[in-house]
Amino acid sequence: GCGKSFLVNKTLNEANVPEKNRIRVTFHPEYANCDFVGQILPTIEKRIDENTGEEKEIVKYIFNPGPFTLAIERARQTNDMVYLIIEEINRGNAAAIFGDLFQLLDREKDPTKPNFGESEYPICNVNMQKYLGLGEGDKLVIPSNLTIFATMNTSDQNVFTLDTAFKRRWSFEQISNNIKDDTEHKYKTYYI
């Protein structure tokens, strides 16, 4: 690797970000919006029948939150900065994985506004809103204390391309390996 994940970890470690404020996920070709946001899945719950006193198993359908929902939930629980780290964002179909969450990536940039740093355009996702305990008038946004880091290797082949509309909502930083200046690299003198 070229040190993308290492740099993210180093940055967060230097800022003393606790592990509970780091939510990490890796995109891959089979990863989907329901994995990222969450999905309703059947679970078996044991209950005592009130009439007979017998223990019975029932099937219950509950919303199981994905990393994106968990990151928003954590950000709503604290005033500290929370980080959602998406590894290999271009190994999955980011447009499909984000789906309508794409709208939330536009953040309010005017520091004089009360919602500075939050999503500028809220969306409606009933399952997420219910899970997060949002009321009817509450908007679903990325809170101002939630930062998203994403890593990608642009030289990998057979990965999904990120369209211009998606890319312009991110700040990019290129990380290059510079083995010539790295005097301590153990493979520096190897001939390949």
Side-chain angles (χ1 to χ4, degrees), residues 25-76:
V25 61
T26 304
F27 282 8
H28 55 82
E30 297 302 316
Y31 202 71
N33 178 268
C34 60
D35 298 312
F36 191 49
V37 174
Q39 57 190 313
I40 296 173
L41 294 171
T43 57
I44 296 175
E45 191 175 279
K46 294 185 180 195
R47 289 219 175 135
I48 304 295
D49 187 308
E50 293 177 11
N51 297 325
T52 65
E54 293 179 19
E55 185 176 83
K56 291 188 174 187
E57 291 181 341
I58 62 164
V59 176
K60 189 175 182 180
Y61 292 87
I62 62 167
F63 179 74
N64 291 277
F68 187 80
T69 303
L70 293 173
I72 290 179
E73 179 182 38
R74 179 65 191 140
R76 290 171 49 85

Side-chain angles (χ1 to χ4, degrees), residues 64-176:
N64 291 277
F68 187 80
T69 303
L70 293 173
I72 290 179
E73 179 182 38
R74 179 65 191 140
R76 290 171 49 85
Q77 294 169 344
T78 182
N79 291 324
D80 296 334
M81 190 58 73
V82 174
Y83 296 87
L84 174 60
I85 304 149
I86 303 170
E87 300 282 5
E88 306 289 351
I89 195 168
N90 61 333
R91 287 200 176 272
N93 185 346
I97 293 168
F98 270 82
D100 61 346
L101 304 177
F102 170 83
Q103 196 72 23
L104 298 178
L105 295 176
D106 283 322
R107 304 281 192 106
E108 179 56 58
K109 293 172 182 62
D110 184 349
T112 64
K113 294 198 175 174
N115 65 332
F116 171 66
E118 286 185 358
S119 298
E120 197 172 356
Y121 308 109
I123 64 164
C124 177
N125 183 307
V126 176
N127 290 323
M128 281 182 71
Q129 288 171 279
K130 187 175 178 183
Y131 176 82
L132 295 168
L134 298 176
E136 277 187 42
D138 294 331
K139 298 175 181 176
L140 180 58
V141 296
I142 296 175
S144 59
N145 66 327
L146 175 57
T147 295
I148 304 174
F149 283 156
T151 68
M152 63 187 272
N153 190 336
T154 57
S155 61
D156 282 344
Q157 296 180 17
N158 298 325
V159 295
F160 292 89
T161 57
L162 300 176
D163 63 58
T164 305
F166 190 79
K167 288 196 303 193
R168 73 181 156 96
R169 286 164 169 83
W170 301 82
S171 297
F172 285 82
E173 179 180 336
Q174 184 171 347
I175 301 169
S176 299

